[in-house]
Amino acid sequence: FVGNSTYLDDHGPPPQKVLPFPSQVVYNRVGKCGSRTVVLLLRILSEKHGFNLVTSDIHNKTRLTKNEQMELIKNISTAEQPYLFTRHVHFLNFSRFGGDQPVYINIIRDPVNRFLSNYFFRRFGDWRGEQNHMIRTPNMRQEERYLDINVCILENYPECSNPRLFYIIPYFCGQHPRCREPGEWALERAKLNVNENFLLVGILEELEDVLLLLERFLPHYFKDVLSIYKNPEHRKLGNLTVTVKKTVPSPEAIQILYQRMRYEYEFYYYVKEQFHLLKRKFGLKSHTRKPSPRPEFFIPSPLETEEPINDEEEDDEKWLEDIYKR
């Protein structure tokens, strides 16, 4: 070796890592909406595709103080890219604290079904072990654990009435105190955030189509996700997350739940309509199902998609670019 030459003198700086776009994705997963199934898939996909899966062990703190929001956003923003961050947390506005707004994704389901799944999961866990509930709700009294679901609803126990039933909308509305109050303000803000900040909000009842669209929109993260999901070994793992000992409430109790969850259903049908429009755009058919009876106050459910739209005026790739720029 002669002289003071360095590697940089001879070769220049090392090439920068080429990141996929978007390189920052947040899945602020809604409880009991299939998120454990999706996280199982993400663990496999992160190893397969080499992205940074950032998960959180905090499952019961969705509402944060201003300082907690700042700290979490700072931690997320400094993660190695490309990353996908997932946690049960209400929508965070990164730009409010000077950060780059990531791409959001999420999945929701029929509100009554979500509530029932959570009600029995808190008490009896899932097929991964019926003793799971002893870890999740160790202080639950026996009379509460075995409280009949009809009694809970008809006698207006706190767990079966508002504001506990106002659950899905705050995940999209955000951290503002009014996001926790059942009403038009939170509903409209949630819709606005879906339109402006979420690349995709899917419907659990149509999970395979959700996965297909995620693979189309975010290939670096979700390529081959559907084939993995359909693999018998993965299905075997997924079946273990099914809640046990669920029972169906009486029609009278369900009707009361519908009334109490009016805003949740308005939001659910809005998201479902947007999801079906997206499916039509990319040529996916929705199979028509017989609709469940709903009270008169509900907004009309969107027409089920039967045929793809031939939209010659707008290029699909340009449409995706516009979504990413939001």
Side-chain angles (χ1 to χ4, degrees), residues 52-70:
N52 183 18
L53 177 62
V54 185
T55 60
S56 173
D57 293 328
I58 302 172
H59 302 288
N60 58 356
K61 189 171 179 59
T62 56
R63 306 165 183 173
L64 309 177
T65 65
K66 183 178 179 181
N67 286 337
E68 288 170 338
Q69 291 178 58
M70 291 175 64

Side-chain angles (χ1 to χ4, degrees), residues 31-49:
K32 305 310 297 175
C33 289
S35 62
R36 282 179 299 150
T37 297
V38 176
V39 170
L40 281 174
L41 290 167
L42 285 169
R43 286 177 182 150
I44 298 169
L45 292 165
S46 65
E47 292 186 10
K48 184 179 176 69
H49 302 315

Side-chain angles (χ1 to χ4, degrees), residues 32-164:
K32 305 310 297 175
C33 289
S35 62
R36 282 179 299 150
T37 297
V38 176
V39 170
L40 281 174
L41 290 167
L42 285 169
R43 286 177 182 150
I44 298 169
L45 292 165
S46 65
E47 292 186 10
K48 184 179 176 69
H49 302 315
F51 64 85
N52 183 18
L53 177 62
V54 185
T55 60
S56 173
D57 293 328
I58 302 172
H59 302 288
N60 58 356
K61 189 171 179 59
T62 56
R63 306 165 183 173
L64 309 177
T65 65
K66 183 178 179 181
N67 286 337
E68 288 170 338
Q69 291 178 58
M70 291 175 64
E71 185 66 22
L72 180 57
I73 287 172
K74 178 183 175 183
N75 290 339
I76 298 172
S77 299
T78 55
E80 181 184 356
Q81 298 182 28
Y83 70 73
L84 190 151
F85 174 79
T86 178
R87 172 179 163 176
H88 294 298
V89 65
H90 295 168
F91 175 79
L92 293 161
N93 189 341
F94 282 58
S95 58
R96 179 188 175 199
F97 299 101
D100 293 330
Q101 191 72 359
V103 163
Y104 272 85
I105 59 174
N106 217 321
I107 301 172
I108 65 173
R109 72 191 288 191
D110 178 274
V112 165
N113 287 337
R114 194 220 67 84
F115 164 74
L116 294 176
S117 181
N118 185 64
Y119 183 89
F120 292 104
F121 178 73
R122 288 185 66 242
R123 287 160 170 78
F124 308 114
D126 54 32
W127 287 112
R128 292 177 298 175
E130 288 193 26
Q131 295 306 310
N132 221 19
H133 62 273
M134 298 303 294
I135 299 170
R136 294 179 179 275
T137 50
N139 300 319
M140 185 177 282
R141 302 187 309 276
Q142 286 297 92
E143 57 267 31
E144 183 182 357
R145 191 178 305 283
Y146 293 97
L147 175 64
D148 183 88
I149 184 69
N150 290 300
V151 172
C152 184
I153 297 167
L154 297 175
E155 297 188 12
N156 204 24
Y157 278 67
E159 185 177 359
C160 298
S161 58
N162 280 318
R164 296 277 190 90

Side-chain angles (χ1 to χ4, degrees), residues 220-235:
H220 182 76
Y221 300 89
F222 288 96
K223 182 174 170 52
D224 300 322
V225 64
L226 194 58
S227 61
I228 296 170
Y229 173 71
K230 288 183 174 182
N231 184 291
E233 288 302 311
H234 180 270
R235 280 294 176 98

